[in-house]
Amino acid sequence: MAETGLAGTWQPTACILCECNCGILVETGGEAGRHMTRIRGDRAHPSSEGYTCNKALRLDHYQNGPDRILHPLRRRADGTFEEIDWDTAVREVAARLGAVRDTHGGESIFYYGGGGQGNHLGGAYASATLAALGSRYRSNALAQEKTGEMWVQGKMTGAGVRADFEHAEVAIFIGKNPWQSHGLPRARHTLRQISKDPARTLIVIDPRRSETAELADIHLAVRPGTDAWLLAAMVAVLVQENLLHREWLDEHATGVDDVIAHFTSLPVDRYARIAGIEEQQLREVVRLIAKASSVAVAEDLGIQMNVHSTLASYLEKLVWGLTGNFAKPGAQYAFASLVKLSGSALGGSGGGGSRGRVSPVAGARIIAGLVPCNVIAEEILTDHPKRYRAMIVESGNPAHSLADSVRMRAALESLDTLVVIDVAMTETARLADYVLPAPTQYEKWEATFFNFEFPRNYFHLRRPIFAAPEGPLPEPEIHARLVESLGAVSEMQLAPLREALARGRAAFTEAFFAFATSDPALAPFIPVALYRTLGPTLPDGAASAAALWGAAHLFAMQNPDSLRRAGFTGEGFEPGEHLFEAILGSPSGVVFSVDDYDDSWSRIRGARLNLAIPELLDELATLDAETAPGATGDFPFVLSAGERRAYTANTIFRDPAWRKEDAAGSLRISPQDASRLGLATGGRARVTTKRGSVEVPVEVSETMQAGHVSLPNGLGVDFPGLGARSLAGVPPNELTASEDRDKFAGTPWHKHVAARVEAA
Ligand SMILES: Nc1nc2c(c(=O)[nH]1)N[C@H]1C(S)=C(S)[C@@H](COP(=O)(O)OP(=O)(O)OC[C@H]3O[C@@H](n4cnc5c(=O)[nH]c(N)nc54)[C@H](O)[C@@H]3O)O[C@H]1N2
Ligand SMILES: Nc1nc2c(c(=O)[nH]1)N[C@H]1C(S)=C(S)[C@@H](COP(=O)(O)OP(=O)(O)OC[C@H]3O[C@@H](n4cnc5c(=O)[nH]c(N)nc54)[C@H](O)[C@@H]3O)O[C@H]1N2
Ligand code: SF4
Ligand SMILES: [Mo]
């Protein structure tokens, strides 16, 4: 499968460090042939087309990380771990979780994770384990960043919406720094293209002069935490200067008059002042947006992990909605999904299924099936009868990544049973009763459901490029064994499927759809049923891909035109079957959907944008009543706890040696503040919040505005040092508090932590 012209040892796979999952070619070799000796972009990959950033080249530090686990582990009474065999592990985990279910009800067993930046295939099988246990509540990292935006999108469109930056005349990034964090294909290339084209405009809204802001035509250096005021003022200018795309709105939107009524008398001058932006500049930016032939907008953590985040997400969408920037080149679109992120184990039952549901203890709104991350600790640390008593954590590191690590660790430690499925001994795994090891993402079949492209969308099923060592088991196998140990799926149920399969795929397809529709309670068991029947018949040990067979057929039924335009044709079940075979047979990824820009309309509810969200229009009034958030006496700084930098990648790398710069993760601070506090680059500062206090190296940076400081994301991971474990940098969530969260979505205010800074 090597690219022509290269030696035979180059193998196609993908980078697993961010949602772009750029296709890469890896040359394997080194000691026992188990190293990634060279890595380059894969030109055959349909989306990345040979692109990578600096981080992909360091992936051997993941593959050969220092904390790899190779055997199931059980905690001893003294807190140390002992190796056990898989039969014992599966039997005991099933028995302990089964006992929690029988005593307290399955809803007291909480599931966290299901996939990171590169691995969603395994988590898709977890639904079976959870159904066998009667578990009902779950969460993952999306519920500390994206759920506010998902809730808004649910109300406005009922679909996943993204933006076409490649073709946009005006590109706007709000609280997002794609030069470092990506989030769009070939980000640096696209940003440079926009930046150097005089006919196009790059607008960045960020308090910091980020690398992306540096490239921008217009940088609105908003005061930290005031985006809601800025965006409200922008909408008000559209309304008050009559810059709306009226004819388009008449045809394509509902709720327009409701929205207009809320902005006709909004004081633009005062809101601009609160946001720290000149009123005149703000008006000119809005006029430019209204005039443009296309506008693409993306928001990210700068507003999603900030005060008023759900409101800001909504106002952002009003800016492009009111100017008619949907379903045309260079604007917003609704993409086709092979597997919905929010429909998989990653997102639970999806927006529809979770409507009106709240978490059992805190009563927090469940969005896309996910309990807000910031309430998990309080749903455990209580004597409430409905508290979570056991937890399965799969491919996540909540002891490090969730707000208030101290409290989160206490919560995890207080559980009756904690089971962790991971490749490495993480901060979370160290608190577990059982640790179940999985092969790395380069030792098994893997894929992500981050498939957001348009008009051509693609899927990349990756093959293993190394043999897995003895010991770890892929997640689908772990879930299948747990489900069987719990007695939830029997050989008797599967036998008719196997018989049908022996007669061929056509017979199997019929038998399978009969099985799947015979009883709605069977739905969560479908992945495991496919894994155990179709799985063993797939070539090259691709059993884990079995669940994709169901996804391919469902997609074919729901999106026949998109699939046909992608070249998959035939009668009856054939297009779905062809798609599945193409997925299996395309080691650099395959285009599964080709759309027209107009197709976006058929994917959204009622084929119209619903612009009015009453709860959020009411919420606007709180902006009017509030003065801007910011400095308070004891804590005069705003700390952004978790910035993406050149060498950060969540906690996927545990080996600090992967970083070529900023190894200890410095605190960035403005020159004005630094000189006032007597701080210099290379010196040390103490940062204190209401939750904790840490010492960090300092980087004085012209990119920061006075009063704003920032720390990187994903640092403070521990690793085996000399004798004891050492810590590289500061774990940001030693400084954050779980009660500091959005009132609609429960998402954290990690970019807006009140802090004190002193010379250390
Ligand atoms: N290098 C690298 N890339 C990554 C990751 C990584 O760890 N490292 N992680 C991946 C993940 S999981 C995610 S979710 C994405 C996140 O990607 P981004 O959201 O782009 O990353 P951040 O750096 O956390 O935040 C973006 C910007 O928000 C700005 N900001 C802070 N406060 C405010 C504010 O009040 N208003 C506004 N408008 N902006 C503000 C910051 O200055 C920063 O430039 O990155 C992904 N890509
Ligand atoms: N203060 C603050 N906190 C933050 C953020 C911030 O900006 N500020 N950012 C937040 C964001 S946006 C995110 S997305 C989260 C990320 O935090 P988490 O969702 O907790 O995930 P990661 O740090 O990406 O770690 C992924 C885990 O998966 C494991 N893993 C890797 N490969 C496999 C595999 O094949 N199988 C299994 N089973 N496990 C595997 C890794 O060892 C690691 O433990 O952090 C969040 N936390
Ligand atoms: S943009 Fe960089 S980190 Fe993200 S997948 Fe591509 S190479 Fe990896
Ligand atoms: Mo994230």
Side-chain angles (χ1 to χ4, degrees):
M1 293 301 168
E3 189 181 76
T4 35
L6 295 171
T9 48
W10 288 84
Q11 303 190 62
T13 177
C15 175
I16 57 158
L17 299 176
C18 85
E19 69 162 51
C20 292
N21 302 128
C22 297
I24 55 174
L25 295 171
V26 176
E27 183 195 55
T28 58
E31 196 190 327
R34 295 201 64 83
H35 283 266
M36 299 173 152
T37 45
R38 281 192 291 171
I39 296 172
R40 58 164 69 166
D42 180 2
R43 268 176 279 138
H45 189 271
S47 162
S48 61
E49 298 171 1
Y51 176 94
T52 71
C53 74
N54 57 302
K55 297 188 292 298
L57 308 181
R58 312 294 285 163
L59 280 166
D60 194 53
H61 290 279
Y62 162 77
Q63 172 59 26
N64 289 293
D67 282 314
R68 187 79 195 271
I69 1 165
L70 294 171
H71 302 277
L73 300 174
R74 177 175 61 198
R75 171 186 297 280
R76 295 196 190 94
D78 67 1
T80 60
F81 286 96
E82 61 191 327
E83 292 179 4
I84 54 176
D85 62 62
W86 273 105
D87 286 347
T88 308
V90 168
R91 194 178 59 245
E92 291 190 8
V93 166
R96 281 191 55 170
L97 294 177
V100 173
R101 172 196 61 195
D102 296 342
T103 316
H104 304 289
E107 51 299 357
S108 68
I109 303 173
F110 192 72
Y111 177 75
Y112 188 85
Q117 302 295 306
N119 56 319
H120 298 165
L121 210 46
Y125 293 83
S127 61
T129 301
L130 300 183
L133 290 167
S135 166
R136 294 187 55 216
Y137 298 103
R138 68 199 320 172
S139 193
N140 63 42
L142 290 172
Q144 43 87 71
E145 48 172 325
K146 296 285 171 285
T147 36
E149 182 175 37
M150 286 168 145
W151 189 67
V152 171
Q153 285 187 344
K155 303 241 171 221
M156 288 177 93
T157 64
V161 171
R162 287 259 168 160
D164 177 13
F165 289 98
E166 204 178 327
H167 303 106
E169 180 185 323
V170 172
I172 308 178
F173 295 103
I174 310 175
K176 181 179 182 76
N177 179 20
W179 183 269
Q180 293 299 8
S181 65
H182 289 78
L184 54 143
R186 305 178 304 282
R188 292 174 184 177
H189 172 77
T190 302
L191 291 172
R192 271 200 223 100
Q193 293 291 109
I194 304 171
S195 173
K196 72 179 188 210
D197 185 340
R200 303 171 76 189
T201 308
L202 178 61
I203 301 175
V204 173
I205 302 178
D206 194 313
R208 201 167 59 85
R209 196 157 180 90
S210 66
E211 292 83 350
T212 311
E214 191 62 48
L215 279 177
D217 299 284
I218 300 170
H219 172 205
L220 298 178
V222 63
R223 186 175 298 151
T226 62
D227 298 81
W229 282 268
L230 174 65
L231 291 162
M234 289 172 77
V235 175
V237 173
L238 284 173
V239 168
Q240 293 167 17
E241 294 193 14
N242 204 11
L243 299 170
L244 314 182
H245 195 332
R246 291 276 184 176
E247 291 149 54
W248 189 91
L249 290 168
D250 286 346
E251 195 184 337
H252 293 299
T254 57
V256 182
D257 292 336
D258 255 6
V259 170
I260 289 175
H262 281 84
F263 291 89
T264 42
S265 57
L266 188 140
V268 173
D269 54 343
R270 190 161 77 84
Y271 278 35
R273 223 172 20 252
I274 289 174
I277 304 295
E278 291 283 338
E279 181 188 349
Q280 199 47 36
Q281 186 185 24
L282 185 145
R283 288 187 184 274
E284 277 159 21
V285 166
V286 175
R287 289 171 198 146
L288 184 119
I289 291 170
K291 252 196 359 235
S293 62
S294 63
V295 180
V297 189
E299 58 166 68
D300 216 333
L301 305 185
I303 62 172
Q304 292 178 344
M305 289 186 172
N306 217 319
V307 291
H308 294 299
S309 60
T310 303
L311 177 59
S313 286
Y314 174 50
L315 295 167
E316 172 257 294
K317 285 160 185 53
L318 287 180
V319 170
W320 60 254
L322 290 167
T323 50
N325 279 292
F326 184 74
K328 65 179 184 183
Q332 287 31 245
Y333 57 77
F335 52 87
S337 9
L338 185 62
V339 185
K340 284 197 172 60
L341 254 190
S342 61
S344 70
L346 275 175
S349 51
S354 53
R355 200 160 299 144
R357 282 183 72 203
V358 294
S359 68
V361 176
R365 179 182 273 123
I366 292 178
I367 299 170
L370 305 174
V371 170
C373 293
N374 274 49
V375 309
I376 296 172
E378 77 192 63
E379 301 246 330
I380 298 170
L381 294 171
T382 165
D383 53 14
H384 194 288
K386 291 197 165 165
R387 67 184 179 272
Y388 308 140
R389 301 176 194 250
M391 215 163 140
I392 302 174
V393 175
E394 176 167 2
S395 192
N397 191 6
H400 183 283
S401 61
L402 296 195
D404 199 341
S405 301
V406 176
R407 189 148 174 252
M408 196 62 217
R409 282 193 296 266
L412 294 169
E413 274 172 330
S414 77
L415 292 166
D416 174 292
T417 305
L418 172 62
V419 178
V420 170
I421 304 173
D422 206 299
V423 300
M425 200 64 190
T426 65
E427 286 72 10
T428 307
R430 234 167 285 123
L431 305 174
D433 298 290
Y434 293 88
V435 186
L436 306 180
T440 71
Q441 297 175 45
Y442 298 103
E443 298 167 346
K444 64 189 173 201
W445 291 79
E446 253 311 348
T448 69
F449 307 139
F450 289 139
N451 311 118
F452 307 131
E453 300 317 308
F454 189 90
R456 295 156 62 80
N457 203 355
Y458 73 95
F459 187 81
H460 188 187
L461 175 66
R462 290 129 48 191
R463 296 161 174 259
I465 64 171
F466 297 103
E470 290 283 316
L473 287 179
E475 291 84 349
E477 181 66 30
I478 295 174
H479 288 297
R481 291 191 189 188
L482 285 172
V483 166
E484 285 152 1
S485 186
L486 287 159
V489 172
S490 69
E491 188 45 42
M492 210 173 72
Q493 286 168 296
L494 299 184
L497 297 176
R498 283 194 223 286
E499 278 159 34
L501 188 58
R503 284 181 278 125
R505 285 279 179 83
F508 179 70
T509 309
E510 230 166 275
F512 194 83
F513 279 87
F515 166 85
T517 51
S518 64
D519 177 1
L522 284 177
F525 296 103
I526 285 175
V528 163
L530 283 170
Y531 177 76
R532 280 296 193 227
T533 56
L534 180 66
T537 72
L538 298 177
D540 305 329
S544 298
L548 297 174
W549 178 87
H553 280 288
L554 261 184
F555 184 80
M557 292 191 298
Q558 291 168 353
N559 302 269
D561 297 333
S562 304
L563 190 60
R564 182 177 38 74
R565 286 187 294 251
F568 299 98
T569 55
E571 297 298 313
F573 293 122
E574 282 171 16
E577 204 60 33
H578 292 163
L579 173 59
F580 179 62
E581 290 303 324
I583 287 171
L584 276 178
S586 307
S588 293
V590 63
V591 172
F592 67 87
S593 160
V594 176
D595 284 329
D596 294 329
Y597 281 89
D598 249 8
D599 287 327
S600 283
W601 292 117
S602 63
R603 297 217 169 90
I604 73 172
R605 197 187 313 109
R608 276 175 167 240
L609 281 182
N610 171 39
L611 293 182
I613 303 181
E615 296 94 323
L616 293 175
L617 287 171
D618 289 347
E619 183 68 7
L620 262 181
T622 63
L623 292 185
D624 218 46
E626 240 178 73
T627 53
T632 55
D634 274 354
F635 299 113
F637 281 89
V638 172
L639 165 71
S640 285
E643 185 176 288
R644 271 65 185 168
R645 295 184 183 169
Y647 286 96
T648 66
N650 294 355
T651 67
I652 305 167
F653 288 119
R654 301 193 60 79
D655 176 3
W658 87 276
R659 294 194 175 87
K660 287 192 165 178
E661 57 189 53
D662 196 25
S666 44
L667 178 82
R668 289 183 174 156
I669 186 166
S670 73
Q672 304 92 297
D673 290 327
S675 75
R676 196 165 46 78
L677 297 172
L679 291 169
T681 296
R684 295 185 71 77
R686 174 152 292 280
V687 180
T688 306
T689 69
K690 68 176 174 184
R691 287 304 291 152
S693 188
V694 297
E695 218 187 280
V696 282
V698 170
E699 178 192 336
V700 180
S701 170
E702 299 277 356
T703 64
M704 301 301 295
Q705 47 173 286
H708 189 208
V709 289
S710 98
L711 279 171
N713 172 54
L715 270 88
V717 170
D718 61 17
F719 65 99
L722 300 169
R725 294 190 68 85
S726 313
L727 203 63
V730 169
N733 290 310
E734 301 294 323
L735 297 171
T736 59
S738 52
E739 71 272 18
D740 291 341
R741 60 184 189 239
D742 184 67
K743 79 181 200 203
F744 292 92
T747 40
W749 297 345
H750 289 337
K751 305 296 171 190
H752 201 86
V753 181
R756 184 164 64 240
V757 180
E758 298 146 303

